[in-house]
């Protein structure tokens, strides 16, 4: 349902006119939806005034309300705004104050994130603002407050910005449960969601609204078509790579020609790497900043403030800046390496100009030839307004357990009433009463295998038959651990100094530089150097939760790999890449050297079809190789390799190792693999017994169980006056995992961990779709030497051990050597492919 357009009240119409603006159609339709009391989903391009459209109904309502009464009805929070990023709440607060100040509205706006000082948080409890800007984690904390029902009784609207980034997964589950809780506090609450990149609006609308409620869907007019260029450095595209280092000089020249440039990368270590590379050639001393999630909040805020003032020429950043943020006059967006999804690319491009009627300008820098194909596919997807496909998601039980605990901390709850509330949430609409009872029992006892341990009894029954928190200490510990984001154990990176006084030479932590994963520092020895926060540091040691460092001048520092793996290649973008490779007419839009690379592949081997799987086998040195091209992303490829190597081991082939990229996989073995039954090897039944056996043997289940235990609250990392290290958490969860495996193998957390591993770390659903797609459609090309397509994956071969009877193999081959091998005897007309 699309609501009819409303009109602006005179006060607001005058403000629009004073700025030379006219309200956009979707802004008026959002006002009409509010007038009708409807929940609403707005999908509109970046720069189209989405955020203002979400707030306008609240601003109008608050303006008409007049002065807020100091106590009683109408004195509480009117609107909550939820953003997936802390930086976005800061940006929105700054931008929202502009119309409030210029119109002269008596509206009190404040933000609340994990970085907000405790004194300010307490003041907000005592004197709530009219509009509160916050994050999903803070919303979960609200639901665990004592007195939350009275505090939020006046709540009229909740606005979810960039909803595509938070609706799916455990963070979205917890947020949706929080929406239902707030709805119970204020039954007339309106839910509003905003996004620029949704492939299936009906799916999000179903997630947004309570069961049976209609959600008005408002769609904005399309904006100016963005100008997206692909940088082909010196007319050549590298065969392999993932950083785009080869193009750094040309990226620097693009920065010099532009105003403010945002340089996006996909991981935090790439962020540090690119920043260092740019500074190494920054002869003109351009002000270039750095922004990623491991930096200290103070440093991030300094960079954000400098951007807003226009003091910077470029910022190298990760996804911390790619959602909805309007940082002044951004002239150019540069994407280093492929974006991995069209929706992400659209978000990042939208940072440039940030105005609907002017085209955004972007430059993609592919790191390899396969990435060039992906960049071209992403550019065409943006032109077609095609976004990444949305996965279907069912609510997880560990997240529900955390919410149940939060409700009990807020007030005693009735089992039937809470079940009805939970099943009003889209992720949990299929939750049976028996499954819900099992979750409540888990929160109350830990499950029957753990019920003898008093520490796991977190809620108790009242004489009236309701459930409530066991005591205030348990409630305090819960509130310290809310949220569904489980990061690797981190240490504070602090500049070391000598303890003052006495003869002690002990180092202590001083200024905080940021945070980095605990496992990284465990493999360093004192004196080792690494790059962090744009500087080179020397590691000195670990003191409690602090990694102590000093400034270093080492010219060859180590680069930490923070933040887990890279973004997975999106399913819809992967399909576009497969179709492009198959379509020879499509090759004409590609650079000449890439076209010749494809033609040489066709001569030496085969070109993969979109709906089949190409497998190449060949000898190299003393080993035998199998290389396949599923184009389904690293996660699915890694899982496929783990399962294939188990089968190859049983066949006596002697698999030695494997490596993967987003586009291909390579397995090497002792014996030739040319004569294998490919259809049998790739049978989908590998997702049955082989998968189960591998999960039983691997450490992956323990790692996934650890995360589930933290989300559910079974194990609490932060406690009053103390915080467990990652090692302590792992030790605790490993013990519980072993107990449950022996005594309660069907425990709720074990089932959840298995499901998480399948959907997240293993990407089993995507692998299942791949195996179904290629069944009976496998093409085998036996070769005498590697094909052109092999080079990017072969240069990554390292020390991956896969088990079995075969020994570990180390293959060191440079890209230059491989290319020379591939190009040997190439036809003269295709030698340009090198």
């Amino acid at each position: 349902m699309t609501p009819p357009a409303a009109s602006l009240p005179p006060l607001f119409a005058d403000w629009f006119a004073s700025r030379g603006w006219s309200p956009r159609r979707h802004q008026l339709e959002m006002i009409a939806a509010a007038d009708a009391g409807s929940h609403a989903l707005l999908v509109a391009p970046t720069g189209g005034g989405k955020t203002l459209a979400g707030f306008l109904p609240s601003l109008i309502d608050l303006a008409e309300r007049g002065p807020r009464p100091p106590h009683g009805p109408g004195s509480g929070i009117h609107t909550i705004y939820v953003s997936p990023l802390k930086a976005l709440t800061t940006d929105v607060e700054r931008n929202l104050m502009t119309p409030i100040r210029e119109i002269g509205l008596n509206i009190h706006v404040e933000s609340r994130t994990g970085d907000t000082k405790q004194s300010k948080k307490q003041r907000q409890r005592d004197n709530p603002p009219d509009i509160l800007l916050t994050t999903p984690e803070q919303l979960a904390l609200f639901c665990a407050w004592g007195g939350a029902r009275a505090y939020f009784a006046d709540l009229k609207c909740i606005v979810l910005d960039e909803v595509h980034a938070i609706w799916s997964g455990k963070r979205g589950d917890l947020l949706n449960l929080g929406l239902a809780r707030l709805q119970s506090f204020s039954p007339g609450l309106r839910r509003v969601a905003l996004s620029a990149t949704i492939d299936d609006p009906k799916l999000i609308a179903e997630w947004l609204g309570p069961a049976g409620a209609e959600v008005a869907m408002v769609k904005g007019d399309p904006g100016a078509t963005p100008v997206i260029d692909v940088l082909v450095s010196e007319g050549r595209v590298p065969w392999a790579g993932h950083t785009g280092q080869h193009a750094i000089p040309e990226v620097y020249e693009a920065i010099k020609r532009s105003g403010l440039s945002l340089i996006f990368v996909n991981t935090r270590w790439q962020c540090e790497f690119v920043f260092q590379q740019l500074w190494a050639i920054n002869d003109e001393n351009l002000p270039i900043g750095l922004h990623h999630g491991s930096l200290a909040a103070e440093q991030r805020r300094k960079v954000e403030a400098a951007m807003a003032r226009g003091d910077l020429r470029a910022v190298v950043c990760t996804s911390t800046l790619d959602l909805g943020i309007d940082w002044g006059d951004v002239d150019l967006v540069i994407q280093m390496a492929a974006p991995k999804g069209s929706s992400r690319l659209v978000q990042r491009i939208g940072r440039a100009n940030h105005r609907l009627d002017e085209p955004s300008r972007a430059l993609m820098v592919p790191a390899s030839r396969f990435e060039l194909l992906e960049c071209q596919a992403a550019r065409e997807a943006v032109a077609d307004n095609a976004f990444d496909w949305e996965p279907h998601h069912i609510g997880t039980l560990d997240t529900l357990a955390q919410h149940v605990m939060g409700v009990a901390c807020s007030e005693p709850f009735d089992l039937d009433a809470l079940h009805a509330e939970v099943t009003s949430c889209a992720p949990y609409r299929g939750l049976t009463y028996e499954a819900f009872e099992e979750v409540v029992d888990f929160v109350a006892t830990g499950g029957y295998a753990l019920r003898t341990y008093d520490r796991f009894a977190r809620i108790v029954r009242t004489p009236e038959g309701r459930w409530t928190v066991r005591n205030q200490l348990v409630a305090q510990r819960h509130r310290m651990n809310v949220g569904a984001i489980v990061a690797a154990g981190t240490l504070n990176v602090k500049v070391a100094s000598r303890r003052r006084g006495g003869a002690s030479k002990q180092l202590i932590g001083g200024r905080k530089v940021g945070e980095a994963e605990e496992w990284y520092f465990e493999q360093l020895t004192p004196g080792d150097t690494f790059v962090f926060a744009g500087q080179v540091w020397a590691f000195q040691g670990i003191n409690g939760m602090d990694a102590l460092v000093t400034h270093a001048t080492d010219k060859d520092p180590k680069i930490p790999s923070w933040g887990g793996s890279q973004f997975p290649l999106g399913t819809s973008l992967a399909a576009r890449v497969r179709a492009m490779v198959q379509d020879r007419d499509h090759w004409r839009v590609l650079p000449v050297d890439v076209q010749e690379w494809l033609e040489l592949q066709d001569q030496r081997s085969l070109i993969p079809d979109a709906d089949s799987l190409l497998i190449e086998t060949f000898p190299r040195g003393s080993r035998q190789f199998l290389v396949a091209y599923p184009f389904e992303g690293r996660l699915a490829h890694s899982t496929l390799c783990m399962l294939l190597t188990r089968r190859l081991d049983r066949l006596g082939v002697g698999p030695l190792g494997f490596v993967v990229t987003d586009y291909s996989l390579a397995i090497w073995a002792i014996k030739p693999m040319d004569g294998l039954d490919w259809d049998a090897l790739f049978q989908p039944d590998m997702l049955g017994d082989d998968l189960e056996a591998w999960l039983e043997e691997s450490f992956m289940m323990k790692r996934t169980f650890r995360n589930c235990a933290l989300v559910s609250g079974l194990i609490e990392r932060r406690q009053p006056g103390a915080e467990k290290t990652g090692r302590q958490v792992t030790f605790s969860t490993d013990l519980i995992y072993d107990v449950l495996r022996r005594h309660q193998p069907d425990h709720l957390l074990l089932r959840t961990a298995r499901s998480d591993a399948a959907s997240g770390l293993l990407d089993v659903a995507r692998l299942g779709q791949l195996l179904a797609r290629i069944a009976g459609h496998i093409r085998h090309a036996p070769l005498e030497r590697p094909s052109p397509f092999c080079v990017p994956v072969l240069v990554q071969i390292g020390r991956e051990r896969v088990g079995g009877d075969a020994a570990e193999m180390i293959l060191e081959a440079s890209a230059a050597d491989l290319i020379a091998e591939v190009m040997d005897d190439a036809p003269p007309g295709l030698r340009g492919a090198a």
Side-chain angles (χ1 to χ4, degrees):
M1 177 196 73
T2 299
S7 59
L8 280 175
L11 195 63
F12 289 84
D14 291 344
W15 177 73
F16 269 81
S18 71
R19 287 189 152 239
W21 296 350
S22 295
R24 299 189 184 276
R25 175 186 53 78
H26 61 264
Q27 293 173 330
L28 297 177
E29 288 180 4
M30 291 295 285
I31 296 172
D35 290 343
S38 299
H39 308 290
L41 169 63
L42 170 60
V43 182
T46 296
K50 282 191 309 298
T51 306
L52 181 59
F55 277 117
L56 267 176
S58 295
L59 296 179
I60 292 170
D61 193 32
L62 286 166
E64 293 173 348
R65 178 200 64 184
R68 182 173 66 171
H71 306 290
S75 62
I77 292 176
H78 181 284
T79 295
I80 292 177
Y81 165 90
V82 179
S83 154
L85 295 178
K86 298 175 187 176
L88 186 50
T89 62
T90 303
D91 176 61
V92 168
E93 182 176 14
R94 184 178 64 247
N95 292 335
L96 181 59
M97 289 309 299
T98 299
I100 291 175
R101 183 178 58 253
E102 293 182 356
I103 297 174
L105 302 175
N106 183 17
I107 296 176
H108 184 196
V109 180
E110 287 195 8
S111 62
R112 180 190 180 102
T113 71
D115 294 338
T116 303
K117 292 182 179 179
Q118 190 58 42
S119 58
K120 184 177 180 181
K121 290 181 178 179
Q122 185 56 50
R123 188 179 74 245
Q124 291 169 348
R125 287 290 302 266
D126 299 335
N127 184 27
D130 295 307
I131 299 176
L132 182 64
L133 316 176
T134 190
T135 61
E137 289 66 41
Q138 292 297 311
L139 190 66
L141 183 59
F142 297 160
C143 294
W145 278 358
R149 183 173 295 276
Y151 187 84
F152 292 105
D154 293 324
L155 188 62
K156 299 295 188 296
C157 180
I158 183 164
V159 180
L160 311 180
D161 205 355
E162 308 292 357
V163 68
H164 64 274
I166 46 178
W167 81 276
S168 185
K170 296 188 180 186
R171 204 178 184 205
D173 293 344
L174 198 57
L175 175 58
N176 205 275
L177 290 164
L179 294 178
R181 185 101 281 243
L182 293 177
Q183 198 85 48
S184 75
F185 298 160
S186 179
L189 173 68
R190 284 196 325 111
R191 307 181 188 185
V192 173
L194 317 173
S195 179
T197 54
I198 292 178
D199 182 67
D200 186 355
K202 291 183 179 178
L203 187 63
I204 306 297
E206 181 183 340
W207 176 89
L208 176 64
E214 188 171 2
V215 175
M217 287 200 283
V218 179
K219 190 165 184 178
D221 296 324
T225 302
V227 177
I228 307 173
D229 294 318
V230 177
L231 175 61
V232 179
S233 179
E234 298 182 354
R236 312 291 297 172
V237 182
W239 286 57
H242 63 281
T243 63
Q245 181 181 5
H246 69 285
I248 289 293
E250 285 150 301
V251 169
Y252 184 70
E253 290 300 318
I255 294 171
K256 287 167 59 177
R257 293 192 300 267
S258 305
L260 171 61
S261 298
L262 292 185
I263 304 154
F264 283 105
V265 296
N266 293 336
T267 66
R268 282 172 274 179
W269 77 261
Q270 284 179 328
C271 198
E272 295 275 355
F273 178 82
V274 171
F275 179 76
Q276 286 291 316
Q277 293 290 310
L278 287 171
W279 265 105
I281 61 172
N282 189 11
D283 297 333
E284 299 189 19
N285 289 318
L286 299 179
I288 300 175
L290 177 70
H291 195 287
H292 62 69
S294 284
L295 297 178
E298 179 184 0
Q299 183 162 346
R300 293 197 306 269
R301 283 195 290 265
K302 285 182 179 178
V303 173
E304 292 162 11
M307 291 173 65
R309 291 193 305 268
D311 293 345
L312 298 177
R313 289 292 298 277
V315 179
V316 186
C317 54
T318 60
S319 55
T320 52
L321 290 184
D322 70 10
L323 290 177
I325 302 169
D326 184 4
W327 296 118
D329 294 323
V330 176
D331 186 42
L332 176 66
V333 165
I334 300 173
Q335 169 66 49
M336 295 295 294
K340 304 303 170 190
S342 58
S343 296
R344 182 177 298 109
L345 180 61
V346 168
Q347 286 292 337
R348 292 179 169 181
I349 291 173
R351 300 314 104 223
N353 287 325
H354 211 81
R355 290 181 287 273
L356 181 67
D357 302 322
E358 298 180 21
S360 299
R361 198 162 61 91
L363 180 66
M364 288 194 285
V365 185
S368 69
R369 295 186 176 184
F370 274 125
E371 283 207 352
L372 185 282
L373 300 179
E374 184 184 333
C375 287
Q376 179 62 29
R379 180 161 66 170
E380 293 173 6
V382 172
D384 293 341
N385 206 32
F387 302 122
D388 300 326
W389 299 330
E390 306 288 352
H392 182 68
H393 177 73
I394 297 175
T396 56
L397 298 185
D398 54 342
T399 313
L400 178 57
Q402 182 185 139
H403 180 71
V404 167
M405 183 66 206
V407 172
C409 291
S410 176
E411 62 184 16
F413 69 83
D414 174 77
L415 201 64
D416 293 346
L418 186 57
H419 176 254
E421 181 180 307
V422 167
T423 53
S424 73
C425 302
Y428 296 96
R429 285 194 186 141
L431 183 74
T432 65
Y433 192 83
E434 292 73 18
F436 177 69
E437 282 185 307
E438 182 185 13
V439 172
V440 174
D441 179 69
F442 163 73
V443 179
T445 67
Y448 73 75
L450 302 175
R451 67 176 63 245
T452 57
Y453 299 93
D454 190 58
R455 57 177 288 200
F456 299 123
R458 294 180 287 156
I459 60 175
V460 295
R461 274 187 184 274
T462 67
E464 296 77 25
R466 293 174 174 261
W467 290 94
T468 190
V469 65
R470 183 179 174 186
N471 55 50
Q472 286 308 304
L473 177 60
V474 173
Q476 181 185 10
R477 285 162 49 178
H478 169 79
R479 293 178 186 126
M480 294 177 69
N481 290 276
V482 296
I485 299 175
V486 180
T490 58
L491 295 177
N492 299 313
V493 182
K494 292 188 175 181
V495 180
S497 60
R498 300 288 179 189
R499 185 183 296 278
R500 294 183 178 179
S504 172
K505 295 183 178 180
Q506 180 184 359
L507 291 173
I508 59 173
R511 177 174 63 88
K512 181 178 176 181
V513 184
E515 299 176 354
E517 273 74 4
E518 188 174 30
W519 62 263
Y520 175 72
F521 292 107
E522 289 175 351
Q523 60 189 354
L524 297 183
T525 56
D528 283 347
T529 59
F530 63 100
V531 174
F532 185 78
Q535 300 182 58
V536 182
W537 304 94
F539 175 67
Q540 300 299 330
I542 296 175
N543 182 12
M545 297 298 294
D546 298 334
L548 305 181
V549 301
T550 54
H551 289 278
T553 57
D554 196 314
K555 294 183 180 179
D556 188 25
K558 297 182 178 179
I559 304 271
S561 297
W562 299 303
S565 61
Q566 297 177 337
F567 292 124
L569 176 62
T571 304
S572 53
L573 195 56
R576 282 181 172 266
V577 173
R578 288 197 304 270
M580 181 185 301
V581 171
Q582 173 185 283
D583 183 2
R584 294 167 190 271
D585 289 338
H586 211 143
W587 296 359
R588 290 190 295 235
V589 304
L590 305 173
V592 173
D593 61 331
V594 177
Q595 292 184 44
E596 293 176 347
W597 175 65
L598 290 165
E599 290 168 1
L600 186 61
Q601 169 69 20
D602 190 29
Q603 287 197 12
R604 288 285 172 80
S605 176
L606 295 170
I607 293 294
D609 292 333
D611 295 319
S612 65
L613 177 67
L614 171 62
I615 296 174
E616 298 171 338
T617 55
F618 52 86
R620 190 164 192 272
S622 60
R623 303 306 180 195
Q624 302 291 325
F625 284 82
L626 178 160
V627 179
Y629 304 92
F631 294 90
E632 288 292 355
R634 292 173 183 268
L635 286 179
H637 292 176
S638 295
T639 301
L640 179 58
C641 282
M642 291 299 299
L643 299 176
L644 286 174
T645 51
R646 295 180 70 90
R647 290 191 165 186
L648 292 171
D649 200 39
R650 291 199 300 268
L651 292 171
V653 171
L656 295 163
F658 72 83
V659 288
V660 302
T661 69
D662 274 322
Y663 319 102
S664 57
L665 60 89
I667 298 173
W668 59 97
I670 296 172
K671 297 181 180 180
M673 292 175 273
D674 293 355
L676 295 176
D677 182 341
W678 301 112
D679 287 330
L681 184 64
F682 283 84
Q683 275 291 321
D685 62 4
M686 71 168 65
L687 299 181
D689 293 342
D690 280 322
L691 178 61
E692 290 298 316
W694 173 40
L695 286 176
E696 293 297 323
E697 297 169 8
S698 74
F699 288 99
M700 186 177 300
M701 276 296 294
K702 282 192 174 182
R703 179 155 59 108
T704 309
F705 178 85
R706 170 186 179 274
N707 293 345
C708 293
L710 287 168
V711 169
S712 69
L714 188 71
I715 294 294
E716 295 156 333
R717 179 159 195 158
R718 289 176 288 274
Q719 298 180 4
E723 180 169 346
K724 289 184 178 181
T725 66
R727 285 167 288 180
Q728 290 171 327
V729 170
T730 299
F731 179 75
S732 300
T733 55
D734 282 357
L735 286 176
I736 295 172
Y737 176 82
D738 291 336
V739 168
L740 296 180
R741 280 280 307 279
R742 287 194 302 270
H743 301 293
Q744 194 180 354
D746 64 341
H747 190 275
L748 176 151
L749 282 193
L750 289 180
R751 301 198 314 268
T752 303
R754 187 176 303 275
S755 175
D756 281 3
S759 62
L761 296 172
L762 305 180
D763 215 351
V764 168
R766 189 164 175 181
L767 179 54
Q769 293 168 1
L770 162 67
L771 295 175
R773 188 183 83 235
I774 66 173
H777 300 283
I778 296 177
R779 303 168 70 202
H780 175 220
L783 307 176
E784 295 181 357
R785 60 185 171 189
S787 74
F789 276 16
C790 285
V791 174
V793 71
L794 291 186
V795 297
Q796 296 197 39
I797 290 178
R799 298 173 177 268
E800 296 282 355
R801 178 185 288 274
V802 298
D805 298 327
E808 183 179 13
M809 171 189 177
I810 302 173
L811 176 63
E812 295 182 356
S814 68
D817 291 339
L818 272 169
I819 292 169
E821 184 179 345
V822 169
M823 293 301 297
D824 188 32
D825 296 331
L830 297 182
R831 289 189 179 274

